Amino acid sequence: TPSRAPDQDQSEVKWGGLGVILRNRNFILLGLVAMVGIGAFNGLATWLEKILHEMHDIPMTDAGNISAVLILSGLVGCLVIPLISDKVRRRKPFLILASLVGAISVTALIFIRGYTANLLDGILLGFFLISALPIMLTMSAEITGPRYAGVSVGYLQLLGNIAAVVLVSSMEGLRSATGQFVAPLALL
């Protein structure tokens, strides 16, 4: 079934849908989660190799391996976590869990040393943080309904990418100002 009726007024589809979803408190909160989550992931993905190299003296090739494992574990998490979420028919606890594990794992990047510890942290971070995206997109469609599913997902992606641009630039600015990555990681 198409999400919009074919005889629907097209001006409502373009602008009315955005107005409807922006009046929904739960969607506004989800938008904030999207900004933080997508922005933080992109900021981290941009700087991870340099962070690991500068803060923990991990060679760039090993730091690249940690980055690759973070993405691979995220792919696994994108299958496992949504399957569990669908089975128990709950979204919010999984989004909260992903946020908490993500925050703890990013904080751990400041303190943990060595390749193996950072590799394990990368696996944990990827598995939970990246798996939050399908949960968030499903929640978006459930909150706004099928009629506004497209515009709501697009809006969340827009917010996340705007935050990513701001966070990546802010991280570089903080690193330049302080000479280290502790403040940028604290920002995340």
Side-chain angles (χ1 to χ4, degrees):
T1 305
S3 60
R4 292 183 181 91
D7 60 344
Q8 189 175 20
D9 178 23
Q10 290 302 311
S11 64
E12 181 188 353
V13 172
K14 286 182 184 174
W15 304 110
L18 191 58
V20 170
I21 64 173
L22 290 178
R23 287 191 293 268
N24 186 317
R25 180 182 177 274
N26 288 330
F27 185 78
I28 298 292
L29 293 173
L30 192 60
L32 293 173
V33 170
M35 287 179 71
V36 172
I38 296 171
F41 172 75
N42 284 316
L44 191 61
T46 301
W47 296 110
L48 185 60
E49 288 92 353
K50 197 167 185 174
I51 289 168
L52 293 170
H53 180 68
E54 287 186 15
M55 289 184 70
H56 306 303
D57 294 324
I58 294 175
M60 289 299 274
T61 53
D62 289 343
N65 291 338
I66 292 171
S67 216
V69 167
L70 181 139
I71 299 297
L72 289 174
S73 67
L75 294 174
V76 173
C78 280
L79 294 173
V80 173
I81 300 295
L83 282 172
I84 296 169
S85 173
D86 288 345
K87 181 137 179 95
V88 299
R89 296 177 175 255
R90 300 285 312 257
R91 309 284 179 239
K92 196 174 186 179
F94 293 96
L95 202 53
I96 292 169
L97 177 66
S99 300
L100 288 174
V101 171
I104 292 167
S105 293
V106 168
T107 303
L109 278 173
I110 297 171
F111 301 107
I112 60 174
R113 303 279 184 251
Y115 176 77
T116 303
N118 278 290
L119 183 68
L120 293 173
D121 187 48
I123 291 169
L124 192 65
L125 179 60
F127 185 83
F128 285 97
L129 188 61
I130 297 174
S131 70
L133 184 61
I135 300 288
M136 183 180 62
L137 297 178
T138 301
M139 265 182 93
S140 170
E142 291 172 350
I143 289 170
T144 61
R147 183 173 181 187
Y148 301 112
V151 72
S152 66
V153 167
Y155 186 72
L156 291 179
Q157 290 286 5
L158 175 69
L159 289 176
N161 287 312
I162 289 171
V165 169
V166 170
L167 277 173
V168 168
S169 302
S170 299
M171 288 177 72
E172 175 58 23
L174 283 171
R175 189 210 164 270
S176 295
T178 62
Q180 56 185 346
F181 276 105
V182 173
L185 287 172
L187 173 66
L188 288 182

